[in-house]
Amino acid sequence: MIEAVVGSGAEEFVAPPGLFPGVVSSSPMSRAGRKYRAANGTRIQNLGQTSVSFKTQEGHQCGMPFQIAEVERPLIAVSQLAAAGNRVELGK
């Protein structure tokens, strides 16, 4: 089991290098040399992407593409969850 932070300000699903098994391939952002901006203004390079397959507690097989970058923990972007047709509610 891997825990992730759901971020209302995150642009994409992002994970640190080595967290998930499998191949990290180049992404359009990594090929272009583009970087993310952290909350404190620091620039973080996109190192590529990987596809992560998983099963929900209800038994549904799912998958998510994660961008790989030097972040502390995985981030789940609310904007991408909503764009995929999911409802996201944030509260206390």
Side-chain angles (χ1 to χ4, degrees):
M1 179 185 297
I2 294 177
E3 291 186 13
V5 174
V6 175
S8 60
E11 294 178 41
E12 300 186 73
F13 302 148
V14 183
L19 180 67
F20 298 116
V23 176
V24 175
S25 57
S26 65
S27 65
M29 191 171 178
S30 68
R31 286 190 297 275
R34 296 186 54 213
K35 298 180 180 183
Y36 297 107
R37 184 183 310 267
N40 66 2
T42 305
R43 299 300 227 155
I44 304 169
Q45 186 170 350
N46 179 298
L47 303 173
Q49 64 187 8
T50 191
S51 183
V52 178
S53 297
F54 62 95
K55 190 182 291 187
T56 66
Q57 289 180 342
E58 297 80 17
H60 302 286
Q61 193 67 32
C62 300
M64 299 167 77
F66 274 85
Q67 299 302 306
I68 305 300
E70 292 291 341
V71 294
E72 290 184 24
R73 52 192 173 185
L75 300 172
I76 305 293
V78 168
S79 60
Q80 286 195 331
L81 289 174
N86 298 289
R87 181 176 172 183
V88 180
E89 292 184 28
L90 302 174
K92 290 184 179 181

